[in-house]
mmCIF file of all heavy atoms in Angstrom:
data_model
loop_
_atom_site.group_PDB
_atom_site.id
_atom_site.type_symbol
_atom_site.label_atom_id
_atom_site.label_comp_id
_atom_site.label_asym_id
_atom_site.label_seq_id
_atom_site.Cartn_x
_atom_site.Cartn_y
_atom_site.Cartn_z
ATOM 1 N N GLU A 1 41.094 64.220 -55.595
ATOM 2 C CA GLU A 1 41.792 62.986 -55.960
ATOM 3 C C GLU A 1 42.188 62.958 -57.430
ATOM 4 O O GLU A 1 43.196 62.360 -57.805
ATOM 5 C CB GLU A 1 40.895 61.786 -55.630
ATOM 6 C CG GLU A 1 41.515 60.438 -55.918
ATOM 7 C CD GLU A 1 40.607 59.293 -55.502
ATOM 8 O OE1 GLU A 1 39.671 59.527 -54.712
ATOM 9 O OE2 GLU A 1 40.839 58.159 -55.961
ATOM 10 N N THR A 2 41.408 63.604 -58.288
ATOM 11 C CA THR A 2 41.641 63.571 -59.729
ATOM 12 C C THR A 2 42.628 64.631 -60.202
ATOM 13 O O THR A 2 42.961 64.692 -61.386
ATOM 14 C CB THR A 2 40.318 63.776 -60.472
ATOM 15 O OG1 THR A 2 39.700 65.003 -60.024
ATOM 16 C CG2 THR A 2 39.353 62.628 -60.199
ATOM 17 N N LYS A 3 43.123 65.478 -59.318
ATOM 18 C CA LYS A 3 44.028 66.558 -59.699
ATOM 19 C C LYS A 3 45.443 66.044 -59.961
ATOM 20 O O LYS A 3 45.841 64.990 -59.474
ATOM 21 C CB LYS A 3 44.096 67.603 -58.577
ATOM 22 C CG LYS A 3 42.882 68.520 -58.503
ATOM 23 C CD LYS A 3 43.007 69.640 -59.515
ATOM 24 C CE LYS A 3 41.931 70.690 -59.289
ATOM 25 N NZ LYS A 3 42.095 71.845 -60.184
ATOM 26 N N GLY A 4 46.195 66.842 -60.727
ATOM 27 C CA GLY A 4 47.618 66.605 -60.839
ATOM 28 C C GLY A 4 48.071 65.979 -62.136
ATOM 29 O O GLY A 4 47.306 65.767 -63.079
ATOM 30 N N SER A 5 49.371 65.676 -62.181
ATOM 31 C CA SER A 5 50.009 65.047 -63.334
ATOM 32 C C SER A 5 49.820 63.541 -63.277
ATOM 33 O O SER A 5 49.265 62.998 -62.306
ATOM 34 C CB SER A 5 51.499 65.381 -63.328
ATOM 35 O OG SER A 5 52.101 64.842 -62.152
ATOM 36 N N GLU A 6 50.301 62.860 -64.291
ATOM 37 C CA GLU A 6 50.237 61.397 -64.279
ATOM 38 C C GLU A 6 51.030 60.833 -63.097
ATOM 39 O O GLU A 6 50.647 59.835 -62.493
ATOM 40 C CB GLU A 6 50.778 60.830 -65.601
ATOM 41 C CG GLU A 6 49.870 61.098 -66.795
ATOM 42 C CD GLU A 6 48.464 60.558 -66.583
ATOM 43 O OE1 GLU A 6 48.330 59.381 -66.165
ATOM 44 O OE2 GLU A 6 47.501 61.306 -66.809
ATOM 45 N N LEU A 7 52.133 61.509 -62.772
ATOM 46 C CA LEU A 7 52.947 61.078 -61.634
ATOM 47 C C LEU A 7 52.154 61.131 -60.337
ATOM 48 O O LEU A 7 52.106 60.153 -59.582
ATOM 49 C CB LEU A 7 54.188 61.970 -61.515
ATOM 50 C CG LEU A 7 55.029 61.798 -60.239
ATOM 51 C CD1 LEU A 7 55.650 60.412 -60.183
ATOM 52 C CD2 LEU A 7 56.109 62.874 -60.157
ATOM 53 N N THR A 8 51.521 62.271 -60.058
ATOM 54 C CA THR A 8 50.817 62.418 -58.785
ATOM 55 C C THR A 8 49.532 61.588 -58.729
ATOM 56 O O THR A 8 49.161 61.094 -57.668
ATOM 57 C CB THR A 8 50.498 63.896 -58.507
ATOM 58 O OG1 THR A 8 49.758 64.450 -59.613
ATOM 59 C CG2 THR A 8 51.773 64.705 -58.310
ATOM 60 N N LYS A 9 48.873 61.414 -59.862
ATOM 61 C CA LYS A 9 47.653 60.588 -59.873
ATOM 62 C C LYS A 9 47.975 59.131 -59.533
ATOM 63 O O LYS A 9 47.270 58.491 -58.743
ATOM 64 C CB LYS A 9 46.976 60.669 -61.243
ATOM 65 C CG LYS A 9 46.295 62.003 -61.531
ATOM 66 C CD LYS A 9 45.717 62.018 -62.930
ATOM 67 C CE LYS A 9 45.102 63.379 -63.259
ATOM 68 N NZ LYS A 9 44.605 63.432 -64.654
ATOM 69 N N LYS A 10 49.038 58.631 -60.133
ATOM 70 C CA LYS A 10 49.424 57.248 -59.858
ATOM 71 C C LYS A 10 49.961 57.124 -58.432
ATOM 72 O O LYS A 10 49.678 56.132 -57.731
ATOM 73 C CB LYS A 10 50.485 56.796 -60.868
ATOM 74 C CG LYS A 10 50.973 55.371 -60.671
ATOM 75 C CD LYS A 10 49.840 54.351 -60.812
ATOM 76 C CE LYS A 10 50.378 52.938 -60.671
ATOM 77 N NZ LYS A 10 49.287 51.921 -60.705
ATOM 78 N N ALA A 11 50.738 58.136 -57.984
ATOM 79 C CA ALA A 11 51.265 58.118 -56.619
ATOM 80 C C ALA A 11 50.127 58.149 -55.612
ATOM 81 O O ALA A 11 50.186 57.469 -54.576
ATOM 82 C CB ALA A 11 52.208 59.300 -56.399
ATOM 83 N N PHE A 12 49.096 58.938 -55.896
ATOM 84 C CA PHE A 12 47.926 59.004 -55.018
ATOM 85 C C PHE A 12 47.311 57.613 -54.865
ATOM 86 O O PHE A 12 46.972 57.191 -53.755
ATOM 87 C CB PHE A 12 46.894 59.978 -55.593
ATOM 88 C CG PHE A 12 45.703 60.214 -54.704
ATOM 89 C CD1 PHE A 12 45.624 61.362 -53.932
ATOM 90 C CD2 PHE A 12 44.658 59.296 -54.630
ATOM 91 C CE1 PHE A 12 44.531 61.593 -53.106
ATOM 92 C CE2 PHE A 12 43.570 59.504 -53.798
ATOM 93 C CZ PHE A 12 43.506 60.661 -53.034
ATOM 94 N N GLU A 13 47.173 56.909 -55.981
ATOM 95 C CA GLU A 13 46.584 55.568 -55.952
ATOM 96 C C GLU A 13 47.423 54.620 -55.097
ATOM 97 O O GLU A 13 46.887 53.862 -54.264
ATOM 98 C CB GLU A 13 46.490 55.034 -57.387
ATOM 99 C CG GLU A 13 45.887 53.645 -57.501
ATOM 100 C CD GLU A 13 45.870 53.147 -58.933
ATOM 101 O OE1 GLU A 13 46.017 53.966 -59.862
ATOM 102 O OE2 GLU A 13 45.717 51.923 -59.123
ATOM 103 N N LEU A 14 48.743 54.657 -55.275
ATOM 104 C CA LEU A 14 49.630 53.772 -54.524
ATOM 105 C C LEU A 14 49.622 54.102 -53.034
ATOM 106 O O LEU A 14 49.574 53.199 -52.188
ATOM 107 C CB LEU A 14 51.054 53.871 -55.072
ATOM 108 C CG LEU A 14 51.280 53.356 -56.499
ATOM 109 C CD1 LEU A 14 52.717 53.624 -56.933
ATOM 110 C CD2 LEU A 14 50.970 51.866 -56.594
ATOM 111 N N LEU A 15 49.680 55.383 -52.709
ATOM 112 C CA LEU A 15 49.683 55.802 -51.311
ATOM 113 C C LEU A 15 48.368 55.435 -50.623
ATOM 114 O O LEU A 15 48.352 55.052 -49.444
ATOM 115 C CB LEU A 15 49.921 57.307 -51.218
ATOM 116 C CG LEU A 15 51.348 57.774 -51.544
ATOM 117 C CD1 LEU A 15 51.359 59.271 -51.857
ATOM 118 C CD2 LEU A 15 52.293 57.478 -50.393
ATOM 119 N N SER A 16 47.265 55.538 -51.344
ATOM 120 C CA SER A 16 45.940 55.208 -50.792
ATOM 121 C C SER A 16 45.827 53.735 -50.431
ATOM 122 O O SER A 16 45.080 53.367 -49.520
ATOM 123 C CB SER A 16 44.841 55.565 -51.803
ATOM 124 O OG SER A 16 44.840 56.932 -52.109
ATOM 125 N N GLN A 17 46.575 52.901 -51.129
ATOM 126 C CA GLN A 17 46.488 51.458 -50.927
ATOM 127 C C GLN A 17 47.532 50.909 -49.956
ATOM 128 O O GLN A 17 47.535 49.714 -49.657
ATOM 129 C CB GLN A 17 46.639 50.750 -52.281
ATOM 130 C CG GLN A 17 45.538 51.073 -53.272
ATOM 131 C CD GLN A 17 45.834 50.542 -54.665
ATOM 132 O OE1 GLN A 17 46.892 49.970 -54.913
ATOM 133 N NE2 GLN A 17 44.894 50.737 -55.581
ATOM 134 N N GLU A 18 48.419 51.794 -49.455
ATOM 135 C CA GLU A 18 49.489 51.341 -48.569
ATOM 136 C C GLU A 18 48.985 51.233 -47.130
ATOM 137 O O GLU A 18 48.641 52.228 -46.500
ATOM 138 C CB GLU A 18 50.676 52.314 -48.646
ATOM 139 C CG GLU A 18 51.795 52.022 -47.664
ATOM 140 C CD GLU A 18 52.331 50.597 -47.784
ATOM 141 O OE1 GLU A 18 52.576 50.128 -48.919
ATOM 142 O OE2 GLU A 18 52.498 49.956 -46.723
ATOM 143 N N PRO A 19 48.926 50.014 -46.571
ATOM 144 C CA PRO A 19 48.348 49.825 -45.230
ATOM 145 C C PRO A 19 49.221 50.320 -44.077
ATOM 146 O O PRO A 19 48.726 50.516 -42.970
ATOM 147 C CB PRO A 19 48.155 48.310 -45.148
ATOM 148 C CG PRO A 19 49.200 47.746 -46.063
ATOM 149 C CD PRO A 19 49.327 48.738 -47.183
ATOM 150 N N SER A 20 50.529 50.518 -44.317
ATOM 151 C CA SER A 20 51.429 50.866 -43.222
ATOM 152 C C SER A 20 51.456 52.351 -42.893
ATOM 153 O O SER A 20 52.115 52.761 -41.936
ATOM 154 C CB SER A 20 52.855 50.396 -43.542
ATOM 155 O OG SER A 20 53.416 51.155 -44.600
ATOM 156 N N ILE A 21 50.744 53.172 -43.681
ATOM 157 C CA ILE A 21 50.754 54.618 -43.445
ATOM 158 C C ILE A 21 49.333 55.167 -43.322
ATOM 159 O O ILE A 21 48.370 54.541 -43.763
ATOM 160 C CB ILE A 21 51.500 55.379 -44.566
ATOM 161 C CG1 ILE A 21 50.768 55.214 -45.908
ATOM 162 C CG2 ILE A 21 52.942 54.911 -44.677
ATOM 163 C CD1 ILE A 21 51.354 56.077 -47.027
ATOM 164 N N HIS A 22 49.224 56.339 -42.713
ATOM 165 C CA HIS A 22 47.945 57.045 -42.588
ATOM 166 C C HIS A 22 47.907 58.144 -43.644
ATOM 167 O O HIS A 22 48.297 59.285 -43.383
ATOM 168 C CB HIS A 22 47.819 57.628 -41.185
ATOM 169 C CG HIS A 22 46.585 58.446 -40.972
ATOM 170 N ND1 HIS A 22 46.501 59.434 -40.008
ATOM 171 C CD2 HIS A 22 45.390 58.437 -41.613
ATOM 172 C CE1 HIS A 22 45.311 59.991 -40.065
ATOM 173 N NE2 HIS A 22 44.627 59.404 -41.033
ATOM 174 N N PHE A 23 47.457 57.774 -44.845
ATOM 175 C CA PHE A 23 47.439 58.717 -45.968
ATOM 176 C C PHE A 23 46.168 59.551 -45.932
ATOM 177 O O PHE A 23 45.060 59.011 -45.877
ATOM 178 C CB PHE A 23 47.535 57.949 -47.288
ATOM 179 C CG PHE A 23 47.564 58.838 -48.504
ATOM 180 C CD1 PHE A 23 48.562 59.787 -48.661
ATOM 181 C CD2 PHE A 23 46.592 58.709 -49.488
ATOM 182 C CE1 PHE A 23 48.596 60.610 -49.780
ATOM 183 C CE2 PHE A 23 46.611 59.511 -50.614
ATOM 184 C CZ PHE A 23 47.624 60.474 -50.768
ATOM 185 N N ILE A 24 46.320 60.884 -45.970
ATOM 186 C CA ILE A 24 45.160 61.781 -45.869
ATOM 187 C C ILE A 24 44.826 62.472 -47.191
ATOM 188 O O ILE A 24 43.913 63.286 -47.244
ATOM 189 C CB ILE A 24 45.373 62.844 -44.774
ATOM 190 C CG1 ILE A 24 46.582 63.737 -45.102
ATOM 191 C CG2 ILE A 24 45.533 62.183 -43.415
ATOM 192 C CD1 ILE A 24 46.711 64.933 -44.172
#
């Protein structure tokens, strides 16, 4: 979860919180 650039770290956080998708 902690890997990546600032872009991917923030995107990971947003995707994790999105209820309409099954984020793995």
Side-chain angles (χ1 to χ4, degrees):
E1 182 177 343
T2 55
K3 284 278 190 175
S5 62
E6 290 303 312
L7 170 65
T8 55
K9 288 177 183 177
K10 179 61 177 176
F12 185 101
E13 180 182 343
L14 294 176
L15 288 162
S16 299
Q17 297 171 357
E18 174 55 46
S20 69
I21 64 173
H22 176 204
F23 182 59
I24 62 171

